[in-house]
Amino acid sequence: MAVRQHTRIRRPFARLVVGAAATLLVSAVPVGAQAAPRPAPSTPGYCTSASNPQLADRLSKDIASTLSGRQDTVAFAISDTRTGVSCAYHSTTHFDSASVVKATIMGAVLRRAEDEKRYLTTWEDDNLQQMITASDNTAATNLWKSLGMPRLQAFLKLAGMNDTQLGADGYWGLTQITADDELKMLDVYTGNPSVITPAAKAYGLGLMSQVEADQRWGTPFGAPAAVSVHVKNGWLPRATHGWRVHSLGIFTGAGKDYRMAVLTQDNATESYGIDTIQGIASAVHRDLNSAVGGGTSKAAPHARGAETPEASDGSAPFGPVAH
């Protein structure tokens, strides 16, 4: 997408020190593997919880209700530390990443600073801010090139993202992702203690909480007012499988700690994919928060069914990529 001019936000955690070595992994997942749309099961068992089985059952049914009749291909992975509820559907199916891979790029940049036992440079900080808050593609390309494939692969290994394959020839928006791996990536910024430091986690969450208002649709839809929202979205049309529309969300504060990765493709329009994601998100926020006294819910800036510009995030060309 086009670069947007906006005021630079100074953050007290922009300087961080980190350290430890990483190893390399070359993924064996084939690029471009896509699954055909499959209907949701009539008696879904999307969600499980040893401590809250009734809640898990209710959430499964509510997600099934919101997906009823939808025509796109959907995958999701959801985890709530507080209630012990976890949900998954087609969570190992591969999708083109579009701009959600930018959260992974950020994690690799933070880990590089840790490995080199130094602060982020001003150049890194500037590009990270543009890449996450405005989804700027030039900044993403700058950081992708500066990292190089070996360091990016090392980050995937550390995060346990073994089913992710990085986009070839600089096409980072065509990185092959799964909902399971995207949830592991979100865990890097929350529960996983082995990839980046607490200071780096705070930095990443800070940027994801400052995403521009017109990009705060998707998983934040219906989040209670007291919950802190951290989001990164992607929206990309291609010559096959229509629009890829994805949303990653981390929700903390007020005693809450849950994460969602929702991936879609085969959408006729961007709006259709957003509507699918926000139906799932609404059920998740309502059920998880009602279970623990979550307070009043609020609508996200993008209401279900509202019109969107239907403009690509620009993370990859529309047609086939020539090799």
Side-chain angles (χ1 to χ4, degrees):
M1 62 182 294
V3 176
R4 304 182 183 182
Q5 299 296 324
H6 63 284
T7 303
R8 173 178 164 81
I9 303 170
R10 297 287 179 180
R11 297 170 302 284
F13 43 78
R15 289 170 62 80
L16 54 124
V17 181
V18 279
T23 54
L24 306 181
L25 173 73
V26 177
S27 172
V29 179
V31 174
Q34 305 286 358
R38 288 179 285 173
S42 57
T43 305
Y46 302 139
C47 306
T48 61
S49 173
S51 56
N52 286 282
Q54 291 182 328
L55 171 61
D57 182 62
R58 181 167 75 248
L59 182 54
S60 291
K61 291 177 180 177
D62 287 346
I63 292 175
S65 178
T66 196
L67 289 179
S68 178
R70 303 302 292 177
Q71 300 301 309
D72 44 358
T73 299
V74 182
F76 56 79
I78 301 161
S79 177
D80 181 15
T81 301
R82 176 76 178 272
T83 64
V85 170
S86 62
C87 309
Y89 182 58
H90 290 176
S91 60
T92 60
T93 297
H94 284 85
F95 294 76
D96 295 328
S97 67
S99 281
V100 297
V101 74
K102 292 169 181 173
T104 297
I105 296 172
M106 176 168 65
V109 171
L110 296 172
R111 177 67 196 197
R112 175 172 61 185
E114 181 170 341
D115 289 339
E116 296 176 356
K117 298 180 172 60
R118 61 170 174 81
Y119 299 124
L120 288 178
T121 66
T122 299
W123 181 86
E124 287 172 329
D125 184 37
D126 287 342
N127 278 278
L128 285 168
Q129 179 178 231
Q130 291 288 330
M131 179 180 69
I132 298 299
T133 66
S135 203
D136 182 75
N137 292 330
T138 299
T141 298
N142 290 342
L143 293 168
W144 178 274
K145 289 181 177 178
S146 79
L147 287 162
M149 298 296 268
R151 189 171 290 278
L152 286 159
Q153 293 283 8
F155 175 80
L156 296 181
K157 171 65 174 179
L158 286 171
M161 298 167 65
N162 298 328
D163 288 332
T164 297
Q165 184 155 343
L166 300 167
D169 301 325
Y171 291 107
W172 44 263
L174 297 183
T175 295
Q176 298 298 294
I177 62 172
T178 68
D180 272 351
D181 270 13
E182 291 304 287
L183 194 66
K184 291 175 183 177
M185 188 276 301
L186 295 179
D187 285 342
V188 166
Y189 297 103
T190 53
N192 188 334
S194 62
V195 182
I196 57 176
T197 65
K201 293 176 191 289
Y203 177 90
L205 289 174
L207 289 187
M208 292 174 72
S209 72
Q210 297 166 13
V211 167
E212 293 180 353
D214 63 348
Q215 297 179 25
R216 296 177 67 81
W217 43 262
T219 53
F221 186 84
V227 170
S228 297
V229 171
H230 315 85
V231 63
K232 186 68 197 82
N233 294 329
W235 56 104
L236 172 69
R238 295 278 285 156
T240 58
H241 293 292
W243 281 84
R244 293 93 165 112
V245 185
H246 312 319
S247 185
L248 311 177
I250 297 172
F251 305 92
T252 61
K256 310 302 186 299
D257 180 12
Y258 57 101
R259 296 167 289 290
M260 280 187 268
V262 186
L263 313 179
T264 73
Q265 65 182 18
D266 300 301
N267 297 288
T269 64
E270 179 188 358
S271 293
Y272 193 89
I274 291 174
D275 195 63
T276 295
I277 294 168
Q278 292 189 168
I280 295 170
S282 180
V284 171
H285 290 302
R286 180 180 63 249
D287 289 355
L288 294 185
N289 286 288
S290 65
V292 292
T296 304
S297 294
K298 63 177 180 180
H302 185 291
R304 291 191 72 189
E307 292 300 320
T308 67
E310 301 294 335
S312 170
D313 65 11
S315 55
F318 175 77
V321 174
H323 293 287

